[in-house]
Amino acid sequence: MNSDNLKPDARWGEPAPLHDPYILANFKARNSDVLITTPPKAGTTWMQQILYQLRTGGDDGFMAIDEVVPWLEITRQGKSWQQILLQFEKLPTPRIFKTHCTAEQTPGIGTANIILSSRDPRDCCVSFYHHILNMTDEARQHKEIPAPASFDEHVDNWLEFAAWYRNVKSWWPYIDHPRVLWLRYQDLKTDFEGNLDKIISFLQWPVNDSQKQTVMEFSSFDWMKAHDEKFSSQGVSAGGHNSKPVFKPGKFVRQGKVGDYRELMTVEQEHKILLKAKKLLEPECIRFLELDL
Ligand code: A3P
């Protein structure tokens, strides 16, 4: 590990509250690692919980999911990147991380196992709107995410920020990569057990039937909703027992539906989102994501 603070190569991006290029440049991926990579609001936390439960064979004793499945690139208040990497070294094997990085900025492709979860951009956009509104004022300030004045303003901000597009576009070339498993939120909703089996077979982790039943219970929407406090710290001081809630109580695990965007989104807003997807993504990717309506 480099212990100096020499600026990392530009490929790792610029420092921001949610993005520490020093961590990315100096992270040493292991063969047994699993990286969950998603655009924001595509079911990241759900996948963190699924993988943590699979690895432990079922454990409801953890305090905060970000403590046991850390967010790779986020900065932590009061901790240097060197301290964060040392903390990562002490995690139990196989280590599991979440990241919202594009493929270009993700360390360890070809070494680590990568599990990708994608979700309809319209649902991600609506989910992100509630995400912002349900954050505490302190967390919004720390993460530099201002509250939009209206849903329409939010859609325009979301389109301009374009994280969903950047993320999906960058990962599409890896769809058939042997160390990458690409799952879709809609499939996890309709056939959870089938997708769990795919994950188990991809990772080759030993999970018996009774453990699988526990994993299914603890990863269900109802269980996660009932234990919202375990999922709502999300990074102000992520990774420590002192993590403060980023969300108002009971507000992180929200609806968990496919097509929830219909409650809020106008046809015009929907068109803007889909048009941008069609401009930026390969037709095959659009079909795979079921956006060719
Ligand atoms: P909604 O806001 O549409 O309800 P992320 O973790 O990437 O931020 O994604 C959050 C979204 O995943 C939220 O969507 C949340 O409700 C949903 N989610 C969390 N746990 C879930 C579960 N067990 N099953 C289905 N959806 C879940």
Side-chain angles (χ1 to χ4, degrees):
M1 188 193 307
N2 281 337
S3 55
D4 54 45
N5 276 317
L6 281 181
K7 197 170 169 21
D9 189 274
R11 81 163 266 215
W12 303 110
E14 288 300 315
L18 303 186
H19 187 95
D20 185 337
Y22 292 89
I23 296 180
L24 297 171
N26 292 286
F27 177 72
K28 295 278 170 287
R30 299 179 195 159
N31 221 265
S32 56
D33 284 343
V34 189
L35 303 182
I36 300 165
T37 169
T38 54
K41 308 317 291 175
T44 324
T45 316
W46 190 11
M47 196 53 70
Q48 285 174 281
Q49 171 72 343
I50 294 169
L51 291 181
Y52 176 68
Q53 294 306 331
L54 281 174
R55 195 195 70 202
T56 55
D59 169 39
D60 59 357
F62 67 100
M63 301 280 286
I65 197 68
D66 272 6
E67 210 172 302
V68 287
V69 180
W71 185 345
L72 184 64
E73 70 273 18
I74 196 174
T75 59
R76 275 83 167 167
Q77 278 177 350
K79 281 204 178 123
S80 68
W81 60 266
Q82 291 95 333
Q83 288 171 319
I84 294 165
L85 287 177
L86 275 177
Q87 215 173 306
F88 289 171
E89 288 300 315
K90 292 179 193 151
L91 289 168
T93 304
R95 304 182 301 178
I96 313 166
F97 298 92
K98 98 171 193 193
T99 172
H100 289 315
C101 287
T102 57
E104 292 81 6
Q105 294 183 337
T106 300
I109 299 179
T111 302
N113 298 292
I114 292 182
I115 299 192
L116 220 142
S117 169
S118 62
R119 188 182 188 190
D120 189 307
R122 294 164 291 187
D123 281 336
C124 287
C125 176
V126 167
S127 179
F128 200 56
Y129 179 61
H130 294 289
H131 175 108
I132 298 173
L133 297 187
N134 289 334
M135 282 168 93
T136 62
D137 293 341
E138 187 189 350
R140 259 205 301 269
Q141 258 178 9
H142 170 69
K143 295 188 173 194
E144 297 176 7
I145 302 177
S150 65
F151 180 64
D152 202 43
E153 184 182 303
H154 166 74
V155 173
D156 286 341
N157 291 345
W158 185 87
L159 283 162
E160 197 186 318
F161 183 51
W164 185 92
Y165 301 93
R166 265 196 308 283
N167 189 290
V168 173
K169 188 177 166 63
S170 77
W171 283 104
W172 180 247
Y174 295 88
I175 180 88
D176 294 321
H177 191 287
R179 300 300 300 279
V180 174
L181 176 66
W182 189 318
L183 302 170
R184 303 183 312 176
Y185 184 92
Q186 62 263 46
D187 300 330
L188 282 153
K189 288 290 294 183
T190 50
D191 178 14
F192 186 61
E193 189 168 3
N195 278 268
L196 208 54
D197 288 339
K198 277 192 195 171
I199 298 172
I200 294 169
S201 127
F202 174 69
L203 295 174
Q204 301 274 295
W205 285 356
V207 182
N208 66 34
D209 274 352
S210 123
Q211 289 170 329
K212 200 168 112 182
Q213 291 314 312
T214 311
V215 172
M216 287 175 70
E217 184 196 338
F218 291 173
S219 312
S220 67
F221 183 81
D222 289 348
W223 193 95
M224 288 181 63
K225 181 103 184 146
H227 298 84
D228 190 88
E229 74 287 350
K230 291 183 187 294
F231 306 105
S232 59
S233 60
Q234 307 251 340
V236 166
S237 55
H241 284 290
N242 301 325
S243 289
K244 289 183 190 158
V246 168
F247 294 89
K248 295 166 191 160
K251 293 287 191 181
F252 182 76
V253 181
R254 198 182 60 88
Q255 291 271 13
K257 288 187 180 155
V258 173
D260 187 46
Y261 69 87
R262 292 190 186 93
E263 301 282 323
L264 205 56
M265 200 171 268
T266 64
V267 172
E268 289 75 25
Q269 290 163 341
E270 214 186 311
H271 278 169
K272 280 198 228 173
I273 289 175
L274 293 179
L275 199 68
K276 186 159 179 153
K278 282 178 190 167
K279 267 195 199 147
L280 293 176
L281 302 177
E282 306 270 340
E284 208 186 324
C285 178
I286 294 283
R287 276 194 294 281
F288 174 78
L289 298 174
E290 298 181 320
L291 301 177
D292 49 347
L293 309 171

